[in-house]
Amino acid sequence: LEQTEAWRTQWLRARKDDMSDCSACEAQFLTDYWVGMGQHLEALKAAKPILSGRESCAEVPHGTLGSVLEPLLSTGQFEEAMDAHVRGYTLVQNNPSFLGTCAEHLRFLALTHNLDLALGVLEKHLPWALTTADLMGRFGFFHSTLPLFARLRVAGQTLISFRAPPGFPLDGKSKGYTLDALEGWFKTQLEDLAAQFDVRNGNAYFSSQLILDTNLLERIPAVSVKPNKFSTKLNNWKGKA
């Protein structure tokens, strides 16, 4: 962590040139930094120029609205978090380059007890995760299933109506997949990816991320998705044969 902060300080002090990112992207990077450090209030502070509309670009606020979801939830700003989800998912749902952001929206839906919608997001974007060359994005997307499966287990759902993409390696029943099988497959994939990253990095950071924060699950209440274009689109999509 000390090395991380040292690099951040050097980045902030570096002179800007023609290769520098725009101010909106730099605000996004700083937001992600504080989220990764678990400093949620600092993350929201860094994101303020973006959330207020003062900073934007071709990819901002698209990613930012996903980055601030958990900071908003952890600070009790549930309605603001839902607004960020509604605005943000609409911006990224059709762009595979935002796989990591879609993962943040999936995690958000699971944390806020919107389990059917979370499963819909998982179904819709799983093909991206399975075919992407971005292993970090795949890890993030698979990681977002941890709270979803935990919530489903607490809800007593043992058989999951889940339409996997063609070529999905896990055999399912005609009515869906058992929760044990589906959760076990994603867990195995996560453990394998985490091990690869940890070997490369020479530490156990990614493996440490596989432990679900049960306190977070207990603190976050059900938050209803407002009637809007997002929920209508997703419900319609889930209804297709």
Side-chain angles (χ1 to χ4, degrees):
L1 293 181
E2 292 178 359
Q3 291 182 0
T4 303
E5 179 60 19
W7 283 111
R8 184 186 74 89
T9 301
Q10 288 190 45
W11 165 54
L12 293 175
R13 291 175 178 174
R15 180 178 300 176
K16 297 186 183 301
D17 56 28
D18 292 340
M19 297 299 293
S20 298
D21 285 298
C22 70
S23 57
C25 282
E26 292 203 343
Q28 167 71 64
F29 295 152
L30 190 57
T31 300
D32 287 339
Y33 169 81
W34 288 121
V35 171
M37 296 291 283
Q39 300 293 323
H40 289 164
L41 290 177
E42 290 294 330
L44 294 174
K45 181 180 177 181
K48 188 174 181 179
I50 298 172
L51 300 179
S52 66
R54 296 200 306 271
E55 295 282 2
S56 65
C57 69
E59 297 185 349
V60 174
H62 306 49
T64 315
L65 291 168
S67 298
V68 299
L69 290 173
E70 192 160 326
L72 287 169
L73 287 177
S74 69
T75 54
Q77 301 178 73
F78 304 125
E79 290 302 315
E80 292 82 355
M82 183 57 71
D83 287 342
H85 163 65
V86 170
R87 289 176 56 200
Y89 185 71
T90 302
L91 293 173
V92 302
Q93 62 177 325
N94 296 316
N95 189 337
S97 66
F98 284 104
L99 174 63
T101 303
C102 289
E104 292 168 329
H105 287 281
L106 194 166
R107 178 178 173 84
F108 168 82
L109 289 169
L111 289 173
T112 56
H113 300 261
N114 291 286
L115 302 184
D116 288 341
L117 289 174
L119 282 170
V121 172
L122 178 60
E123 289 178 355
K124 184 172 183 177
H125 302 296
L126 180 57
W128 295 358
L130 292 173
T131 58
T132 183
D134 176 12
L135 295 186
M136 184 76 76
R138 182 182 297 169
F139 178 87
F141 191 78
F142 287 176
H143 187 269
S144 67
T145 66
L146 294 177
L148 172 59
F149 293 137
R151 289 271 195 237
L152 289 170
R153 191 168 295 282
V154 170
Q157 297 190 36
T158 57
L159 186 63
I160 309 301
S161 178
F162 178 77
R163 292 172 296 175
F168 187 62
L170 188 64
D171 292 329
K173 298 180 179 179
S174 59
K175 294 184 179 180
Y177 294 84
T178 65
L179 177 59
D180 286 341
L182 203 58
E183 183 179 31
W185 186 86
F186 279 97
K187 181 180 179 181
T188 298
Q189 301 305 306
L190 270 172
E191 290 174 344
D192 181 62
L193 287 168
Q196 293 182 56
F197 281 122
D198 286 346
V199 169
R200 183 198 67 179
N201 298 339
N203 56 43
Y205 172 79
F206 280 87
S207 294
S208 71
Q209 299 305 299
L210 303 184
I211 302 173
L212 183 62
D213 184 355
T214 55
N215 289 328
L216 183 64
L217 288 175
E218 294 171 358
R219 292 199 310 269
I220 297 177
V223 184
S224 298
V225 175
K226 301 174 182 177
N228 54 65
K229 292 181 181 179
F230 156 69
S231 58
T232 300
K233 280 185 177 180
L234 189 54
N235 285 335
N236 288 342
W237 181 86
K238 278 179 66 68
K240 292 180 181 179

